[in-house]
Amino acid sequence: MRRIDSVMEAVGNTPLVRLRHVVPASRAVRVLCKLEFQNPGGSVKDRAALRMMRDALADGRLTPEKTLIDSTSGNTGVAYSLFGAALGVRVKLVMPSNVSQPRKEITRAFGTEIIYSDPLEGSDGAMRIAREMVASAPDVYFYPDQYSNPSNPRAHYEGTGQEIIDAVGSEITHFVAGLGTTGTMMGTAKRLHEHSRSIRCVAVEPAEAMHGLEGLKHMGSSIVPPIYDARMHDDLVSVMTEDGWDMAELLASKEGLLVGHSSGANVHVAVQIAKRAMAEGREACIVAIVADRGDRYFAPMKWEKRYVW
Ligand SMILES: Cc1ncc(COP(=O)(O)O)c(C=O)c1O
């Protein structure tokens, strides 16, 4: 039993679980999932959000008088809201008004203020409003900008990557993670490659610009995040939405892991690597990131004060 003094200490040290059913049984080939939904905010983004907030508090970019503002409605928004509450930092999130009700409810439950942007302008419209608000009152707001903030990959360099080395040491042959802000892959790959250049780091992206793998970016049609450096990963694999969704369903029904679709995509790729290694008679230990839990994608999911008899 681990005793901790704050919810922030519950971030990281997530377990690695071996898959037993969605991949053929083999002594020589293993697929291990790093269960990032075990973080207190329920996703891998807790690591980056906490690190960005702590680093900014440490060097004065963020002070108790300032308000953190960003334009995320996803896992990063949940993480900012949670740690904002724990650190006593006000949080404002700009999101298109058509974002699902659960997304709004989760962040509001932590006391976050939501500003609605035009649904027709999507996430770009939300980002524009956040940037305009920061530009008009730079002393009032702290804008973490996870796409260009080096604290984002650093969280994974010092956390995710180091934890994987501590857990599996030199056994690991492959690391698989999806590209969103790219922080997970940039930081983890850097640490793993320092440990051994022979570890293959495999990045996952949606095969199409219009896709259903929430959290991931189709690099060809997206604004490339400034923290992204394509040389950091060894392979880039495209995954169809259906393959990510099908694997997410299999992980729930066969492994007891109810995970989001980006995690389904990562594991789909990990299983392909495993099958290839088996066919070629090679040993392999493949670590895949499971970024969040599947119930985050259920709708409607409303948190109500009500009695259940
Ligand atoms: C569900 C999910 N998967 C994957 C990612 C990608 O992680 P990163 O931003 O570190 O590239 C994100 C990021 O928002 C996410 O929310």
Side-chain angles (χ1 to χ4, degrees):
M1 182 71 79
R2 195 161 59 109
R3 277 182 65 162
I4 56 176
D5 284 332
S6 105
V7 68
M8 289 169 284
E9 288 175 42
V11 175
N13 287 316
T14 53
L16 280 173
V17 62
R18 181 172 183 181
L19 299 185
R20 306 227 166 241
H21 303 286
V22 301
V23 61
S26 162
R27 289 174 78 86
V29 177
R30 288 176 297 156
V31 176
L32 306 174
C33 287
K34 192 149 173 68
L35 301 186
E36 290 300 303
F37 60 63
Q38 290 285 69
N39 286 307
S43 88
V44 68
K45 300 307 300 195
D46 281 11
R47 296 178 184 268
L50 180 59
R51 190 66 208 241
M52 289 189 289
M53 292 170 83
R54 278 195 157 150
D55 287 353
L57 282 167
D59 65 20
R61 281 172 294 143
L62 177 59
T63 59
E65 293 74 40
K66 283 191 171 181
T67 297
L68 184 153
I69 189 166
D70 211 330
S71 59
T72 165
S73 54
N75 287 325
T76 312
V78 176
Y80 287 144
S81 302
L82 160 60
F83 301 120
L87 288 163
V89 170
R90 275 187 303 274
V91 177
K92 276 189 195 177
L93 298 176
V94 188
M95 47 181 96
S97 56
N98 60 340
V99 157
S100 77
Q101 199 58 29
R103 292 292 158 122
K104 299 171 188 168
E105 300 290 344
I106 295 172
T107 50
R108 245 198 315 244
F110 290 109
T112 286
E113 185 186 331
I114 304 178
I115 297 153
Y116 293 112
S117 59
D118 187 340
L120 297 176
E121 292 182 27
S123 56
D124 286 351
M127 190 192 290
R128 191 174 46 75
I129 289 186
R131 288 190 170 163
E132 281 169 10
M133 289 176 70
V134 177
S136 67
D139 296 338
V140 173
Y141 293 114
F142 166 64
Y143 182 49
D145 193 2
Q146 55 171 340
Y147 291 93
S148 61
N149 192 326
S151 302
N152 173 2
R154 195 176 305 135
H156 297 284
Y157 175 82
E158 290 173 1
T160 320
Q162 187 60 48
E163 290 167 27
I164 292 171
I165 292 167
D166 291 345
V168 288
S170 298
E171 291 167 45
I172 178 174
T173 56
H174 296 77
F175 171 68
V176 182
L179 299 178
T181 66
T182 77
T184 307
M185 178 51 82
M186 294 301 106
T188 310
K190 182 163 187 261
R191 184 66 195 91
L192 293 178
H193 281 154
E194 276 175 14
H195 181 72
S196 164
R197 192 59 195 85
S198 66
I199 299 170
R200 280 199 89 78
C201 292
V202 182
V204 174
E205 69 164 348
E208 303 144 315
M210 295 288 287
H211 64 87
L213 299 172
E214 190 162 329
L216 303 190
K217 264 183 185 296
H218 176 257
M219 281 297 158
S221 61
S222 306
I223 300 169
V224 177
I227 57 171
Y228 180 55
D229 179 352
R231 291 168 302 184
M232 297 301 288
H233 51 71
D234 303 289
D235 296 302
L236 177 60
V237 180
S238 299
V239 175
M240 298 296 294
T241 294
E242 297 74 49
D243 291 331
W245 284 55
D246 287 352
M247 183 53 82
E249 275 177 23
L250 272 182
L251 286 167
S253 61
K254 303 284 183 211
E255 304 276 358
L257 293 169
L258 181 61
V259 304
H261 305 116
S262 77
S263 308
N266 291 347
V267 175
H268 171 78
V269 171
V271 169
Q272 282 181 328
I273 296 169
K275 286 181 177 167
R276 214 175 305 134
M278 286 177 204
E280 293 168 4
R282 282 185 287 112
E283 287 192 1
C285 172
I286 305 140
V287 174
I289 292 286
V290 159
D292 66 358
R293 217 187 290 276
D295 52 14
R296 193 145 281 180
Y297 302 92
F298 290 165
M301 185 174 75
K302 189 163 157 46
W303 188 27
E304 290 172 302
K305 272 191 186 144
R306 73 189 162 105
Y307 296 95
V308 180
W309 301 101

